Amino acid sequence: MSTPRTAVGSLPNLPGVYRFRDERGRVLYVGRATALRSRVGSYWTNLKGRRHLSRMVPQIVQVEAVVCDSVHEAAWLERNLLERAKPRWNRVRGGLEVPIYLRIDRKGGVPRLVVDYGPFGADRPDDVFGPYLGGTQARLALAGLGRVLPLGYTDERLTGAARDMARIRGVDATDRDAFLATTIAALRREPDAVEAVREQLIQHRDRASAGLAFEFAEKIQQEIEAIDWLVAEQKATVITDPDSDVYGWADDLLVRFEIRGGRLSTWTQRTCRQANAKRFLEQTPDGWRPFADRSAELASRLRDAHERSVHSG
């Protein structure tokens, strides 16, 4: 009997989104993975806390997948696909994480970085960053940025314990502009700023660990990972992006992604001759070409694995 397990070896151990189809071509399930090969392979080895999917696995005939540039991007793509349509075996339309923004609050004279739930459209202010998925990650990243760029301690009106803490940390109003500039640069994913923030947090973490404050060191490590999550490349939801269609082609297979309202929310693939694919490929924005080409090449490999499985069955 043929089995889609043969497709697992064609998957890379990279972040991405996968979906399963049944013998009639219907989508059974959409999921995301930190490592596609390991995650998809687990459906035939150990479902652990996903026992409710055990009745779905025998119905899987074909595996499809897209490699993403980060786990954050995979989380957004999964959410967008599930908001458009919820397959039978997915429990929730959309996702469990809450979309969230970080915003520079300039009220009171001293700028501070705060959490904001929006919503913001394409005309959002310059001091709003995101959207991000996951309130926990956003708050941890905010804490990490505040640990090394404590804008709140640059207020001339500090009193009591806050003033003492600013003095101990060697922070005053003259640091405000530099802290604010680095905060904004890091949230804009500027490499030098991100690296500077990470390096300072690593130093804080290592000092805490050397002082045997292991729980504190672990908290700082979580802040580092949260900042990495926020600044990782992420194209699946960028509210300011224009509407467009993204196409990739490989070995007579055309893959199409539809971007509307800044969200990549439709993913389809079909057989298409190269000559006919040309007019579609010309529509793809340059910034999306690596993603589209990579997606088509993986789709082609998975299709071939599926056909081998059928023929061997």
Side-chain angles (χ1 to χ4, degrees):
M1 182 178 179
S2 63
T3 170
R5 289 184 66 179
T6 57
V8 172
S10 299
L11 292 168
N13 256 331
L14 295 170
V17 170
Y18 58 92
R19 64 186 176 194
F20 300 137
R21 292 187 183 274
D22 65 12
E23 61 182 4
R24 296 172 58 183
R26 296 174 300 189
V27 176
L28 294 168
Y29 186 83
V30 171
R32 74 171 188 250
T34 299
L36 281 166
R37 185 185 303 168
S38 298
R39 181 64 168 180
V40 174
S42 72
Y43 285 84
W44 288 273
T45 56
N46 190 350
L47 284 171
K48 293 186 178 179
R50 299 167 289 159
R51 295 295 182 189
H52 64 287
L53 298 176
S54 60
R55 290 186 294 117
M56 176 195 72
V57 173
Q59 301 177 47
I60 301 171
V61 170
Q62 188 167 5
V63 177
E64 298 173 341
V66 173
V67 172
C68 294
D69 286 306
S70 68
V71 179
H72 196 179
E73 183 174 87
W76 266 118
L77 179 55
E78 178 200 41
R79 180 186 182 88
N80 294 349
L81 292 170
L82 292 176
E83 284 185 344
R84 177 65 68 91
K86 187 181 82 66
R88 175 186 174 188
W89 291 92
N90 285 96
R91 288 179 166 177
V92 180
R93 180 179 292 274
L96 297 176
E97 297 98 338
V98 176
I100 204 166
Y101 298 81
L102 294 180
R103 176 174 57 84
I104 303 295
D105 185 355
R106 301 176 186 272
K107 294 178 181 178
V110 178
R112 289 176 172 82
L113 190 62
V114 299
V115 167
D116 197 316
Y117 288 93
F120 297 96
D123 58 347
R124 70 185 187 186
D126 291 339
D127 57 3
V128 172
F129 305 90
Y132 309 111
L133 266 188
T136 298
Q137 295 284 54
R139 288 181 174 82
L140 282 169
L142 187 151
L145 288 166
R147 188 179 305 281
V148 298
L149 301 165
L151 283 164
Y153 287 142
T154 66
D155 193 338
E156 297 94 334
R157 299 164 298 176
L158 294 177
T159 60
R163 183 174 59 189
D164 291 339
M165 282 299 301
R167 178 180 53 79
I168 292 170
R169 298 185 64 173
V171 174
D172 59 33
T174 63
D175 296 306
R176 184 181 306 156
D177 290 345
F179 285 173
L180 180 60
T182 303
T183 297
I184 292 173
L187 292 173
R188 288 176 176 168
R189 299 185 173 91
E190 295 180 16
D192 289 346
V194 172
E195 185 57 32
V197 169
R198 290 189 88 259
E199 182 58 32
Q200 289 187 64
L201 283 171
I202 288 170
Q203 291 175 13
H204 281 286
R205 180 200 65 194
D206 291 349
R207 283 197 297 269
S209 182
L212 305 183
F214 298 120
E215 290 186 6
F216 185 42
E218 174 59 25
K219 182 177 188 302
I220 298 174
Q221 177 60 33
Q222 291 173 358
E223 293 170 0
I224 295 170
E225 293 171 1
I227 289 172
D228 290 342
W229 171 273
L230 261 64
V231 303
E233 182 173 351
Q234 194 284 101
K235 302 180 299 300
T237 298
V238 182
I239 302 303
T240 55
D241 274 8
D243 292 351
S244 59
D245 292 318
V246 172
Y247 293 92
W249 181 91
D251 194 19
D252 289 344
L253 191 65
L254 184 71
V255 178
R256 173 178 179 260
F257 299 95
E258 181 183 284
I259 301 168
R260 298 292 183 269
R263 292 192 174 203
L264 193 166
S265 56
T266 302
W267 159 32
T268 59
Q269 53 193 61
R270 63 180 177 86
T271 301
C272 182
R273 298 287 186 181
Q274 186 173 17
N276 296 330
K278 183 177 179 181
R279 64 188 177 92
F280 296 109
L281 299 176
E282 290 173 347
Q283 300 178 35
T284 300
D286 289 342
W288 280 95
R289 290 187 186 279
F291 177 92
D293 292 344
R294 182 179 67 211
S295 298
E297 290 166 4
L298 177 57
S300 175
R301 292 200 303 272
L302 291 171
R303 178 202 57 191
D304 293 346
H306 170 66
E307 291 177 352
R308 289 194 300 271
S309 173
V310 170
H311 293 153
S312 65

